[in-house]
Amino acid sequence: MKSIWVINGPNLNLLGIREPGIYGSLSLQSIEDHLRKVADNAGIDITFYQSNHEGAIIDRIHEAMGQADGILLNPGALTHYSYAVRDAISSVKVPTVEVHLSNIHARESFRHTSVIAPVCAGQISGFGATSYELGFHALLDVLERPNS
Ligand code: DQA
């Protein structure tokens, strides 16, 4: 059975409370519950992790080596400046899809850049909680490619 790790960065524990006009009213727990159902239907083992700490996110990405087939990553604001998270992803070589609830390209200019996206298979941004589901299916597709 393939294993996908979903990793969420800073402030995503506050989903549902935090700026609901931008991020929606669903909690991270309810997004994860839904994603678990989607994964069960697809016959995929799914594991969730969230941290507000850059180093903990990096440690978790390192742990994915040899354990996870793919990573679904919402790095939160780390997206825009964390070369350390970027280097972690390129080091472990676990196929990764970057997801965002909001459309980062339609917001403040500092959000237009992702330093993470170039080391990911791709980025999904702007579909609210559905971004995670779209990202999950995109990641499965990537994992089915030869030599992924
Ligand atoms: C976010 C977008 C980031 O710019 C922001 O810092 C977040 C959430 C999103 O999912 O839309 O924390 O990653």
Side-chain angles (χ1 to χ4, degrees):
M1 194 186 248
K2 282 205 163 67
S3 173
I4 287 181
W5 284 15
V6 182
I7 302 177
N8 278 285
N11 301 306
L12 292 159
N13 56 312
L14 295 183
L15 285 179
I17 299 167
R18 173 193 185 202
E19 301 180 89
I22 296 173
Y23 298 116
S25 56
L26 293 178
S27 65
L28 183 58
Q29 184 65 59
S30 53
I31 292 172
E32 291 177 350
D33 289 348
H34 176 71
L35 216 48
R36 184 174 294 288
K37 286 184 195 144
V38 172
D40 286 351
N41 284 338
I44 300 290
D45 183 60
I46 196 159
T47 304
F48 299 101
Y49 180 79
Q50 187 275 330
S51 177
N52 294 321
H53 306 279
E54 184 177 17
I57 300 280
I58 292 164
D59 287 342
R60 188 68 178 167
I61 292 167
H62 291 178
E63 282 165 25
M65 217 178 349
Q67 293 199 66
D69 295 293
I71 297 173
L72 198 57
L73 177 66
N74 184 347
L78 295 169
T79 305
H80 314 300
Y81 65 88
S82 179
Y83 299 125
V85 170
R86 173 198 171 115
D87 284 353
I89 291 172
S90 54
S91 301
V92 300
K93 294 188 165 50
V94 177
T96 299
V97 170
E98 179 184 321
V99 297
H100 299 282
L101 295 123
S102 64
N103 180 356
I104 58 172
H105 304 286
R107 299 183 62 198
E108 302 96 320
S109 56
F110 75 88
R111 296 186 204 273
H112 296 178
T113 299
S114 169
V115 301
I116 313 290
V119 296
C120 291
Q123 179 197 69
I124 293 179
S125 175
F127 301 98
T130 306
S131 289
Y132 287 89
E133 196 172 339
L134 295 170
F136 175 84
H137 289 297
L139 186 53
L140 287 194
D141 199 56
V142 168
L143 296 181
E144 274 160 22
R145 290 179 197 161
N147 308 318
S148 72

